[in-house]
Structure formats: C-alpha cells, structure tokens
Amino acid sequence: MERNVEKMLNRVSMVFISIGTAIMVIMILQTPKTCIPPEAPSKPHTHFPRSTCDSSPRQHVPLSKKNARIWSSKAWKSRLSSFSTYFLRFRDLGFLHNHTKALCLSAGAGHAPMALSQIGLADITAVELVDSLPLVRRADPHNLPFFDGVFDFAFTAHLAEALFPWRFVEEMERTVRRGGFCVVAVDECGGDDVRDISRLFHNSKLVEVANVTLEGSKRTSLLLKVRDSPT
Ligand SMILES: *[C@@H]1O[C@H](CO)[C@@H](O)[C@H](O)[C@H]1NC(C)=O
Ligand SMILES: *[C@@H]1O[C@H](CO)[C@@H](O)[C@H](O)[C@H]1NC(C)=O
C-alpha cells in the first residue's frame, strides 16, 4: 500500500517536472514579440513607425505636393495677405527694402517669410522649433545659430509665447546689425505694457508703436532700432 502511494507520488512529480520543462522549452523557442518588418522600407528616413510594432508602409506625400496643397488653401492665403499688408507698411515707411536681410523668429508654418518674399525681399531666413521646409528651418530662437549682426531686420509675432522672453530678445538684438530693426507684434496693448516690452530690448530704442490687425486679430506692433553703439 505504502509503496503504491510512493510510486504514485513519484509519477505525479514526474508529470509536473515534464510540464515545467515543456513550458521552459516553449518559452525559449518562441520568437520574441518584437516586429521584424517583412522588408526594409525603401526610404528609411521618410518612415516613422507609429509604434515599435508597426511595420506597415506609409504613404509618403512629396514635400512639394504637400506644400502646394497647404499654400493654395484659403486659410493660408488669407494669413499670407494679412502679413503682406503688415510688412508693406514698413516698406512704405522706409524700414524694409528689397535688399533687406530679414529674420523671422518663431515663424510657424512660414506665412511671414513668404509675405516678405512676396513684397520683394530676396534674403529671408525663418526659424521655428520644428522646420517647415523650404520656408522655415529648425532652430531655437533662444539660441540662434547665426553670427552677430548678420540681419537688417528681425520680426516675431510670438514673443509672448517665448519660454524666456529676455533671452529671445537678446538673441534678436545680437543677430541684427547696429542701426537695424527689431519688430514685434504682440496682443493689443498700450502704455505700461508697451514700455515693459520695449524695456526687454536693452540695446534698442523704440521708434514706432502702432495698433494693427494681423491674422484677423488686434495686435500692437513695436518697431525698435538697434543702437549704433552698444550701451
Ligand atoms: C523689389 O522687388 C520686386 C520683386 O522682385 C520688384 O518688382 C520691385 O521692382 C523691386 N523694387 C525695387 C525698388 O527695386
Ligand atoms: C492701441 O490700443 C490700446 C488699447 O487697446 C491703446 O491703449 C493704445 O494707446 C493704442 N496704441 C496706439 C499706438 O494707438
């Protein structure tokens, strides 16, 4: 009797050992659940997987086609025309010329640089944290990859959104030559606010303040001239 029990227990433990071994073997043999794409994408740099397990090929719209679609939209054209009107004022006042080297900061999708080009400027640089080629390239406005004094005119409509406005302004003034201009469009304001903003520009003198309509909203535009000699 006792022997039989012992035998049975041995058999039971043998069964468990076998099951355990089988599970281990299966785990070892199983291929990991990470994906190996059936074939490498033909253009690896244009392919960004949605997840690590996504290997489906993505439709790639050529940049020129994508831009043509964006630039022909009604929304784009209306914003563009708004910027053109805004910049034409500076041209009429004599602050912008065809030969002006212009810099647009936090230029978004590129309405401002396109507008400057439309009114005749030939040398325009526009930067944003993400690029929108060919109009806007990637650079941090707080740390511009340009030498001192290489621009005649710098513009931004996004000073208020800057993480460090003082640093943003510092870079604007650094890259604009002495006697050149910094232009900022901010939400409509007057008096103390205008004074506070112009005080950020340690090395420039406020030349003109105007209330304008830009991109359908009321803005106040400040034009500052970078001092001929640093103070
Ligand atoms: C400026 O450039 C535009 C377009 O290229 C041209 O039509 C215009 O005549 C130029 N203006 C001057 C003053 O050269
Ligand atoms: C712009 O509008 C504000 C009111 O929103 C006013 O206080 C300010 O004086 C105006 N600035 C100019 C230059 O007209």
Side-chain angles (χ1 to χ4, degrees), residues 25-37 52-53:
V25 168
I26 288 168
M27 278 171 71
I28 289 167
L29 289 183
Q30 207 173 39
T31 38
K33 276 229 163 65
T34 48
C35 295
I36 297 151
T52 50
C53 267

CSV table of all heavy atoms in Angstrom, one decimal, residues 25-37 52-53:
chain,number,residue,atom,x,y,z
A,25,VAL,N,11.0,25.0,-22.4
A,25,VAL,CA,11.4,24.9,-23.8
A,25,VAL,C,10.6,25.8,-24.8
A,25,VAL,O,11.2,26.5,-25.6
A,25,VAL,CB,11.3,23.4,-24.2
A,25,VAL,CG1,11.5,23.2,-25.8
A,25,VAL,CG2,12.4,22.6,-23.5
A,26,ILE,N,9.3,25.8,-24.6
A,26,ILE,CA,8.4,26.6,-25.4
A,26,ILE,C,8.8,28.1,-25.3
A,26,ILE,O,9.0,28.8,-26.3
A,26,ILE,CB,6.9,26.4,-25.1
A,26,ILE,CG1,6.5,25.0,-25.5
A,26,ILE,CG2,6.1,27.5,-25.7
A,26,ILE,CD1,5.1,24.6,-25.0
A,27,MET,N,9.0,28.5,-24.1
A,27,MET,CA,9.4,29.9,-23.8
A,27,MET,C,10.7,30.3,-24.5
A,27,MET,O,10.9,31.4,-25.1
A,27,MET,CB,9.5,30.2,-22.3
A,27,MET,CG,8.2,30.5,-21.7
A,27,MET,SD,8.3,30.6,-19.9
A,27,MET,CE,9.1,32.1,-19.7
A,28,ILE,N,11.7,29.4,-24.5
A,28,ILE,CA,13.0,29.6,-25.1
A,28,ILE,C,12.9,29.6,-26.6
A,28,ILE,O,13.4,30.5,-27.3
A,28,ILE,CB,14.0,28.5,-24.7
A,28,ILE,CG1,14.4,28.8,-23.2
A,28,ILE,CG2,15.3,28.6,-25.5
A,28,ILE,CD1,15.1,27.6,-22.6
A,29,LEU,N,12.1,28.7,-27.2
A,29,LEU,CA,12.0,28.6,-28.6
A,29,LEU,C,11.1,29.7,-29.3
A,29,LEU,O,11.3,30.0,-30.4
A,29,LEU,CB,11.4,27.2,-29.0
A,29,LEU,CG,12.3,26.0,-28.8
A,29,LEU,CD1,11.7,24.8,-29.3
A,29,LEU,CD2,13.7,26.2,-29.5
A,30,GLN,N,10.2,30.2,-28.5
A,30,GLN,CA,9.3,31.2,-29.1
A,30,GLN,C,10.0,32.5,-29.5
A,30,GLN,O,10.8,33.0,-28.7
A,30,GLN,CB,8.2,31.6,-28.0
A,30,GLN,CG,6.9,32.0,-28.7
A,30,GLN,CD,5.9,32.2,-27.7
A,30,GLN,OE1,6.2,32.7,-26.6
A,30,GLN,NE2,4.7,31.8,-28.0
A,31,THR,N,9.8,33.0,-30.7
A,31,THR,CA,10.4,34.2,-31.1
A,31,THR,C,9.8,35.4,-30.3
A,31,THR,O,8.6,35.4,-30.0
A,31,THR,CB,10.1,34.5,-32.6
A,31,THR,OG1,8.8,34.1,-32.9
A,31,THR,CG2,11.1,33.8,-33.5
A,32,PRO,N,10.6,36.3,-30.0
A,32,PRO,CA,10.1,37.5,-29.2
A,32,PRO,C,9.1,38.2,-30.0
A,32,PRO,O,9.1,38.2,-31.2
A,32,PRO,CB,11.4,38.3,-28.9
A,32,PRO,CG,12.4,37.9,-29.9
A,32,PRO,CD,12.1,36.4,-30.2
A,33,LYS,N,8.2,38.9,-29.3
A,33,LYS,CA,7.1,39.6,-30.0
A,33,LYS,C,7.5,41.0,-30.6
A,33,LYS,O,6.6,41.8,-30.8
A,33,LYS,CB,5.9,39.8,-29.0
A,33,LYS,CG,5.1,38.5,-28.9
A,33,LYS,CD,3.6,38.9,-29.0
A,33,LYS,CE,2.7,37.7,-29.3
A,33,LYS,NZ,2.7,36.7,-28.2
A,34,THR,N,8.7,41.2,-30.8
A,34,THR,CA,9.1,42.5,-31.4
A,34,THR,C,9.0,42.2,-32.9
A,34,THR,O,9.2,41.1,-33.4
A,34,THR,CB,10.5,42.9,-31.1
A,34,THR,OG1,11.3,41.7,-31.2
A,34,THR,CG2,10.6,43.4,-29.7
A,35,CYS,N,8.7,43.2,-33.7
A,35,CYS,CA,8.4,43.0,-35.1
A,35,CYS,C,9.7,43.1,-35.9
A,35,CYS,O,10.5,43.9,-35.7
A,35,CYS,CB,7.5,44.1,-35.6
A,35,CYS,SG,5.9,44.0,-34.9
A,36,ILE,N,9.7,42.2,-36.8
A,36,ILE,CA,10.8,42.3,-37.8
A,36,ILE,C,10.0,42.6,-39.1
A,36,ILE,O,9.2,41.8,-39.6
A,36,ILE,CB,11.6,41.0,-37.9
A,36,ILE,CG1,12.3,40.8,-36.6
A,36,ILE,CG2,12.6,41.1,-39.1
A,36,ILE,CD1,12.5,39.3,-36.3
A,37,PRO,N,10.2,43.8,-39.7
A,37,PRO,CA,9.4,44.1,-40.9
A,37,PRO,C,9.7,43.1,-42.0
A,37,PRO,O,10.8,42.6,-42.1
A,37,PRO,CB,9.9,45.5,-41.3
A,37,PRO,CG,11.1,45.7,-40.5
A,37,PRO,CD,11.1,44.9,-39.3
A,52,THR,N,6.5,50.6,-32.0
A,52,THR,CA,7.6,49.7,-32.3
A,52,THR,C,7.1,48.5,-33.0
A,52,THR,O,7.9,47.8,-33.7
A,52,THR,CB,8.3,49.2,-31.0
A,52,THR,OG1,7.3,48.7,-30.1
A,52,THR,CG2,9.1,50.3,-30.3
A,53,CYS,N,5.8,48.2,-33.0
A,53,CYS,CA,5.3,47.0,-33.6
A,53,CYS,C,4.6,47.3,-34.9
A,53,CYS,O,3.7,46.6,-35.4
A,53,CYS,CB,4.4,46.2,-32.7
A,53,CYS,SG,5.3,45.0,-31.8
